[in-house]
Amino acid sequence: MSTPAISGGGGLLTGFTKLCKGLAVVLVGGHIVVQLFPPAVTYLALIPARTIPFAWNLLTAGYFEQTVAVSTFALLFIGKLLEPIWGSKEFVKFIIVVNLLTYVCVFITAIALYYATRLELYLYMPISGFHGVLSGFLVGIKQIIPDQELSVFGIAKIKAKWLPSIMILLSVTASFFLADSAAYLPMIIFGTYMSWIYLRYLQRRSETNFRGDPSDEPVISPISSIFHRMFCGRSEISSDGNGYGVGETPLPGSDSIEASRRRERGARALEERLATERLVAAKGADGSHIDASEEV
């Protein structure tokens, strides 16, 4: 299996899905609205003291971004890997659910910090950004191709399963040196865990009609084990239709088979997309060579 490279190139700038392009327009549009009408922050960002009655900001806060360029490119590049595998409907559902759960957790944390410290900063600081969903995308990559080695800008090779942990580690480390760490750190941490909970217990598998991921690879064991006991105290996987339900025993080997099939599909989809991008890049190079020859 060839090693994909996360680096610049002609092929990487093509193949973006229509859905991801539309979502990118939403992020850019939200950024423009806030720049042109600064008072809109009051209604769109999460401001804990004003979340009641402005409860909709739990949904809108994630879709207007200060670092819009970074978030937009990350959405386009990661989305063109995940969306074909999950499907457009599931991809949108993942974004909406993870974004909402992330900001609910941020809201609860801000209220708790205010009562613990009595600092009104935690109540009135505007919080926004797509960081939670982007960190959740890394968990999705970990789920699909956990053992795939990724070459990051040609500097180092890391396995995909380490991406969420590395992101959290870098974000926490950076928070010691950046004054505005509260603007991104809570979303990254909660986004990672909320996406893991969604993928592990809630995401519906169209091929099996089951919910959740049968693999037992938590993001961070002590915390994830708490949610595992909450959701799977009596059964490992829930199913609304046919299959095994609460208290029933899964077929021997079914979990490992499903996890193996999912990883094979993810690796195959990644290989096909990389092959397509290389072909597009090669055609572009051939075209430029022909043009040069004709000019001569």
Side-chain angles (χ1 to χ4, degrees):
M1 181 178 293
S2 61
T3 302
I6 302 178
S7 58
L12 285 179
L13 298 178
T14 62
F16 303 131
T17 66
K18 292 181 180 179
L19 176 58
C20 288
K21 291 178 181 178
L23 293 172
V25 171
V26 171
L27 294 182
V28 174
H31 178 75
I32 293 175
V33 167
V34 172
Q35 297 302 314
L36 295 179
F37 307 100
V41 173
T42 304
Y43 301 96
L44 297 177
L46 174 66
I47 302 177
R50 298 175 180 174
T51 299
I52 301 176
F54 299 160
W56 62 79
N57 58 33
L58 292 171
L59 283 172
T60 60
Y63 303 111
F64 85 89
E65 178 69 77
Q66 299 300 322
T67 56
V68 66
V70 175
S71 296
T72 301
F73 280 113
L75 168 63
L76 292 173
F77 281 107
I78 301 178
K80 73 175 181 177
L81 169 62
L82 295 180
E83 186 190 342
I85 297 174
W86 287 350
S88 298
K89 182 179 179 180
E90 182 57 44
F91 186 72
V92 172
K93 184 179 177 182
F94 173 88
I95 291 175
I96 294 174
V97 172
V98 170
N99 177 70
L100 175 61
L101 292 178
T102 296
Y103 278 96
V104 167
C105 291
V106 171
F107 170 74
I108 295 173
T109 301
I111 297 299
L113 287 173
Y114 167 72
Y115 280 108
T117 64
R118 294 296 174 177
L119 294 177
E120 292 189 353
L121 168 68
Y122 296 113
L123 291 181
Y124 293 99
M125 179 177 63
I127 304 172
S128 64
F130 203 59
H131 313 87
V133 174
L134 293 180
S135 60
F137 284 162
L138 298 183
V139 180
I141 294 176
K142 171 187 181 294
Q143 179 204 53
I144 296 171
I145 47 172
D147 297 320
Q148 181 77 37
E149 286 191 343
L150 305 176
S151 177
V152 183
F153 300 112
I155 300 175
K157 292 183 179 181
I158 59 175
K159 288 189 175 182
K161 65 182 179 181
W162 297 115
L163 290 177
S165 299
I166 292 174
M167 174 59 71
I168 291 179
L169 177 61
L170 292 177
S171 300
V172 172
T173 302
S175 68
F176 291 102
F177 305 98
L178 299 177
D180 60 344
S181 60
Y184 66 87
L185 186 59
M187 281 78 76
I188 290 176
I189 294 176
F190 286 124
T192 300
Y193 274 106
M194 293 304 104
S195 61
W196 178 81
I197 291 171
Y198 178 80
L199 294 173
R200 180 66 176 86
Y201 302 107
L202 303 177
Q203 186 183 53
R204 180 175 292 280
R205 304 285 167 180
S206 58
E207 63 273 15
T208 61
N209 201 35
F210 293 151
R211 287 187 183 275
D213 181 0
S215 63
D216 292 321
E217 296 182 3
V219 180
I220 300 176
S221 182
I223 299 179
S224 61
S225 61
I226 297 175
F227 293 103
H228 183 77
R229 286 193 293 269
M230 290 171 57
F231 286 95
C232 297
R234 296 179 59 190
S235 65
E236 289 298 320
I237 300 178
S238 62
S239 174
D240 290 343
N242 297 328
Y244 47 85
V246 177
E248 297 181 10
T249 303
L251 295 175
S254 62
D255 288 0
S256 59
I257 292 174
E258 163 59 18
S260 177
R261 288 176 178 173
R262 186 189 65 251
R263 291 170 183 174
E264 289 176 1
R265 286 195 303 273
R268 185 165 57 250
L270 180 61
E271 289 294 329
E272 292 174 354
R273 183 165 293 279
L274 290 172
T276 301
E277 291 172 351
R278 285 194 290 268
L279 180 62
V280 171
K283 288 183 178 179
D286 292 341
S288 61
H289 178 70
I290 293 174
D291 293 342
S293 299
E294 292 177 351
E295 290 178 0
V296 174

